[in-house]
Amino acid sequence: MPKTAARQKTETKTTKAATNGNNKTAPKDAPENEVVETGIYDVKQAQAEFNKRRKSQIASIKKLDKEFLGEMLYQMILGRLFERKCAEVYRMGKIGGFCHLYIGQEAIAVGSMMALKEGDYSITSYRDHVQAMIAGIKPEAVMAELYGKATGNVGGKGGSMHMFSKEKGFFGGHGIVGGQIGVGTGMAYAQKYKGTDNVTLCFFGEAAVNQGIFHESLNMAQLWKLPCIYICENNQYGMGTSQKRAMSISNIAKKAEGYAMAGEFVDGMDVMAVREATLRAIERARKDGSPTLLEIRAYRYMGHSMSDPGKYRTTEEIKKYQERDPIILFQDSLKEAKVFTDKDFEEFVARATAEVEKAVQFADESPFPDESELFTDVFA
Ligand SMILES: Cc1ncc(C[n+]2csc(CCOP(=O)(O)OP(=O)(O)O)c2C)c(N)n1
Ligand SMILES: [Mg+2]
């Protein structure tokens, strides 16, 4: 993606949506709307650290073949453009209900899931479209599911939050904050019980860490040596509440120490750093089932969901984080390592744009489920 195109589009489209065009601090007499700087992540410092790491990123790039690197970049671009399209068609009324977008966090899903092998599992929260596509669910099926169409990933009955494919080892798509942490732990238990060397990637947001299920699961996983890699996607907000307001410590990776578990902090804007941390965790898990907690810090550019008025943060804060856009950082390194050129990036964008358009056309042209489907697959 050419640098300027990526930056411009993201900033103009996403920041407006995220803040609903309002970047003013709320009045003092409305504390629930007060803008609080998170203060836990200095962007300048992070940028300086990344620049120091740049050499090591290029060295990691050189260890991988061009085709695989191209696929990593393509999946990040596809995720970004797919989500932008979701926002566009949502505003046109084509998607109803909840819709949580992943823009800004792409390096986490790509860096970690593309380190998996056949038979490994993954599970996540409601912010699940990009993970579902990386798992191998076709963009057409994800978009049609968002539209509530019969051709959707789960027949149009799950919508945005409930993508699922047992065949692809992708177990959702969960709307209850933290609910998937217990399920993911059970999936890892099954992998161990069956005597495989497979692992589970269990994604959740930083707000889920305050739920009891997180602590119960980590305790059990370490005690029973379950091959679960707990990936806390720290985007610094749980709906409109900053982490600082809701958590007594800012270093989530440190919480692993409470369970004698391996824990690691990772820069979620750096896809290669995510990949390498995941590979270290995978190695531990395949060897003797040891679990790991990874805190991968990133930033969501859009609102919590499409209905978020976004009054709890400023446009300036969003722009600050966009200066470290994960796609641009990766492209810059790929270019410096002489793997791809600007022309190649344009081709990736063109291919992803065509794939997204195909998905929208498929969803537009698909039928809604038949009335007779009303009572099938109903378990409650
Ligand atoms: C048990 C439960 N409590 C509250 C909610 C409402 N809720 C939905 S998302 C959310 C915030 C979660 O934030 P985080 O875990 O950081 O994930 P993110 O949305 O940032 O990806 C809340 C409180 C819920 N869905 N489930
Ligand atoms: Mg969050």
Side-chain angles (χ1 to χ4, degrees), residues 217-245:
S217 299
L218 265 69
N219 178 55
M220 189 179 279
Q222 180 63 27
L223 190 66
W224 291 354
K225 290 266 192 284
L226 305 181
C228 195
I229 297 156
Y230 296 96
I231 298 187
C232 174
E233 298 200 56
N234 187 356
N235 60 15
Q236 306 172 52
Y237 287 93
M239 300 183 85
T241 307
S242 71
Q243 185 194 340
K244 196 179 179 187
R245 281 187 156 189

Side-chain angles (χ1 to χ4, degrees), residues 50 53 57 60-61 64 69 72-73 76 105-112 114 266-278 296 325-327 329-331 333-334:
F50 175 77
R53 273 206 318 270
Q57 198 195 32
S60 337
I61 282 175
L64 293 174
L69 289 163
M72 284 179 80
L73 179 63
M76 288 176 79
Q105 299 179 219
E106 299 89 348
I108 306 182
V110 170
S112 59
M114 289 187 67
V266 188
D267 178 359
M269 299 304 210
D270 178 349
V271 70
M272 295 307 288
V274 174
R275 177 177 166 81
E276 301 209 330
T278 309
I296 310 190
D325 185 90
I327 299 180
L329 289 184
F330 191 36
Q331 287 186 165
S333 295
L334 288 167

